[in-house]
Amino acid sequence: MMALMFLFPETAHAMGTTGAQTGQSSGGGYQMLFMLVAIFGIFYFLMIRPESKRRKERQTMIDSLQRNDKVVTIGGLYGDVQDVHDDKVVIKIAENVKVEVAKSAISGKRT
């Protein structure tokens, strides 16, 4: 019933439910606003911030690729970087076998 009053005040009034009848003070709007801000803050610190940090670290790793780095692709190919271009990387995956992959397809460096 309380949710109806906040979402649809005209419906709640037509049903005979008002803030004065339920004993609710006029400060209820601030409490709801505070809860929404708190939920957004929790969502930001638990989901958005860590993801942007991981994205930044991955982009730094991709930008720092050099010849002879050992890498793994998102497809599971292991190899050594032979050449780095603007948007692609040439990887040697076996003797006399080289493949070109997009820089964004590099999952990480390996040691």
Side-chain angles (χ1 to χ4, degrees):
M1 202 52 104
M2 296 296 283
L4 282 177
M5 191 169 67
F6 287 120
L7 297 176
F8 307 107
E10 59 278 347
T11 305
H13 182 67
M15 293 175 61
T17 304
T18 63
Q21 290 176 344
T22 60
Q24 185 181 34
S25 66
S26 62
Y30 292 115
Q31 291 174 350
M32 180 68 82
L33 180 64
F34 176 74
M35 290 301 290
L36 286 173
V37 169
I39 289 171
F40 179 76
I42 291 169
F43 183 76
Y44 175 78
F45 282 107
L46 291 179
M47 305 223 17
I48 297 173
R49 190 168 178 231
E51 180 59 32
S52 64
K53 185 178 178 182
R54 276 191 295 272
R55 189 178 327 121
K56 184 186 284 187
E57 288 172 354
R58 184 170 183 275
Q59 188 61 43
T60 302
M61 181 271 305
I62 289 173
D63 291 339
S64 70
L65 285 176
Q66 304 177 35
R67 185 176 173 88
N68 296 325
D69 281 346
K70 297 180 183 311
V71 295
V72 62
T73 67
I74 57 175
L77 291 175
Y78 288 82
D80 298 332
V81 175
Q82 295 296 305
D83 199 12
V84 179
H85 299 285
D86 290 335
D87 59 343
K88 63 184 175 180
V89 178
V90 178
I91 300 175
K92 179 180 177 183
I93 57 174
E95 285 298 319
N96 299 324
V97 180
K98 296 179 182 177
V99 293
E100 289 183 352
V101 297
K103 277 188 175 180
S104 60
I106 302 296
S107 170
K109 290 183 182 180
R110 59 186 178 98
T111 56

